[in-house]
Amino acid sequence: MKKWLSYSIIALLVIVLAACGAGNQSNSDKKTKQDTAQTSQAAFPVKVKDARDKEITLKKQPKKIVSLMPSNTEIVYALGLEKELVGVTSNDDYPKSVKKKAQVGDMNVNAEKVIALNPDLVLAHASSMGVSDEVFKQIESAGIPVFVVKDSTTFDTVYDSITQIGKLTGKTKEANQTIKDMKEKVASIEKKAKTISKEDRKKVWIEVSGAPEIYTTGKGTFMNEMLTMIGADNVAASEKGWVKFSEEQVVKLNPDVIIATYDADKNEIMKRPAWSSMTAVKEGNIEKVDQNKINRLGPRIVDGLEDLAKAVYPEVYNK
């Protein structure tokens, strides 16, 4: 009898302890789920200062986004926000599916169309502030937050823009991965650039606009930095910003390679009378690069850098 009673007490204790353990595990699971939910919610509200030095606050993750600049649009796609993107400009053409999105104008944005889409966030750009400042104010007066992305002049500022858009949209992880992938490609290109000797460095003329209004890019510009990164010298580096040159001025610079960033006619460049003695023309070193890759300061800028590298040094970067 005593033996049976002892077994009964032990069995009862096992049941009680098991129940307590299950209860503790259940409470632990609940706490884990609560912590996960709190962590997810902790990302918002977010506050980020834009190009106007204006602090933009978003209380929750935006579900509807309008982009007013192709470079912003490409960042949005890279972050996996295609469904959230409800409006773009008519200048947007990448990726191809963007053409199915509602269009709200070109460089001249139609504020009424933007407001009608009722977005949670509008991504504008500093380069268009001169023509769109009043449009931004009109959209903001409708209670829609407008974030003006800075006009990038270096790769680091492009990374900053991706980081900011990632934070505003709750896609920080995706933004970090995008930047990591970009930096790895840049590092690979710069590694090859170090193999180019001082004697083999090429002098490059970048033409962003053809005759009769010939323009190039000087120091303080993105393309000047890109030439340095691939191990080349910009023949117009003594000038600042975007500069107009005469045909005779370019002849004196005598570049080894001519790169056109617009839809140039190679034969037209070859046949310019004053340029017949130029090294680049005599050797036929005239190349075109996709202006969207090299001008749009988003994730594809690293592809533009690679294209530029291959155009200037095919023997180095095509290996």
Side-chain angles (χ1 to χ4, degrees):
M1 181 71 177
K2 288 180 180 179
K3 191 175 181 180
W4 177 85
L5 185 60
S6 297
Y7 286 148
S8 298
I9 292 171
I10 290 170
L12 182 61
L13 285 171
V14 170
I15 293 170
V16 171
L17 289 172
C20 289
N24 289 338
Q25 187 175 0
S26 178
N27 289 336
S28 177
D29 289 344
K30 286 180 181 178
K31 189 175 186 303
T32 301
K33 290 178 181 178
Q34 287 172 351
D35 289 344
T36 302
Q38 288 172 357
T39 301
S40 177
Q41 292 168 3
F44 288 86
V46 295
K47 295 180 180 180
V48 186
K49 282 190 176 181
D50 71 359
R52 301 169 293 181
D53 203 33
K54 181 175 181 178
E55 191 170 71
I56 306 301
T57 301
L58 293 185
K59 294 181 180 179
K60 57 183 179 179
Q61 187 173 12
K63 298 300 181 184
K64 296 172 70 178
I65 302 168
V66 169
S67 170
L68 306 182
M69 185 63 64
S71 55
N72 292 344
T73 300
E74 294 193 19
I75 293 173
V76 168
Y77 268 86
L79 298 183
L81 293 164
E82 179 179 358
K83 290 182 180 179
E84 286 79 3
L85 187 66
V86 296
V88 296
T89 72
S90 58
N91 295 320
D92 289 77
D93 56 12
Y94 185 88
K96 289 182 179 180
S97 60
V98 77
K99 284 296 184 182
K100 298 177 183 178
K101 302 290 182 180
Q103 295 184 355
V104 296
D106 41 37
M107 286 301 290
N108 296 306
V109 178
N110 186 317
E112 287 76 16
K113 285 186 177 181
V114 174
I115 295 169
L117 291 172
N118 194 30
D120 304 308
L121 173 66
V122 171
L123 294 171
H125 200 272
S127 62
S128 63
M129 282 180 64
V131 295
S132 300
D133 192 44
E134 289 303 316
V135 173
F136 299 165
K137 290 178 181 177
Q138 188 177 344
I139 295 170
E140 288 175 320
S141 68
I144 300 169
V146 175
F147 185 85
V148 181
V149 177
K150 291 180 181 178
D151 190 10
S152 300
T153 55
T154 66
F155 272 77
D156 283 340
T157 48
V158 172
Y159 300 148
D160 288 343
S161 296
I162 295 171
T163 297
Q164 289 180 324
I165 294 175
K167 185 176 181 180
L168 286 166
T169 58
K171 294 288 185 176
T172 299
K173 181 180 178 182
E174 289 81 356
N176 290 339
Q177 185 60 51
T178 298
I179 294 168
K180 180 176 180 290
D181 293 343
M182 291 174 70
K183 286 184 175 180
E184 286 177 355
K185 196 164 190 176
V186 168
S188 175
I189 291 169
E190 290 184 319
K191 184 178 180 180
K192 289 183 178 181
K194 290 178 181 178
T195 67
I196 300 168
S197 66
K198 186 177 181 180
E199 293 75 22
D200 292 332
R201 285 180 72 92
K202 293 183 180 179
K203 299 184 298 179
V204 181
W205 164 261
I206 291 189
E207 190 164 292
V208 297
S209 175
E213 299 281 310
I214 300 177
Y215 275 84
T216 191
T217 175
K219 62 185 175 183
T221 63
F222 208 94
M223 279 185 260
N224 185 70
E225 182 191 28
M226 292 173 84
L227 284 176
T228 301
M229 292 169 75
I230 68 169
D233 297 318
N234 181 5
V235 293
S238 60
E239 303 294 331
K240 187 176 181 180
W242 306 99
V243 196
K244 183 179 178 181
F245 271 72
S246 67
E247 289 189 23
E248 291 71 27
Q249 286 175 309
V250 183
V251 172
K252 291 179 182 179
L253 298 174
N254 193 28
D256 301 308
V257 181
I258 295 171
I259 299 292
T261 65
Y262 61 102
D263 190 18
D265 183 340
K266 184 175 178 178
N267 290 327
E268 183 275 320
I269 295 175
M270 291 280 289
K271 291 178 181 178
R272 290 174 187 170
W275 288 24
S276 59
S277 62
M278 193 183 294
T279 299
V281 173
K282 286 194 296 184
E283 296 182 358
N285 293 331
I286 303 171
E287 303 292 338
K288 291 193 290 185
V289 293
D290 186 335
Q291 61 179 331
N292 289 339
K293 286 185 185 179
I294 208 167
N295 289 330
R296 287 184 186 173
L297 307 181
R300 285 199 303 158
I301 196 70
V302 293
D303 297 329
L305 179 67
E306 185 175 46
D307 289 350
L308 179 63
K310 289 179 177 180
V312 176
Y313 293 110
E315 69 283 4
V316 175
Y317 293 99
N318 280 323
K319 291 181 180 179

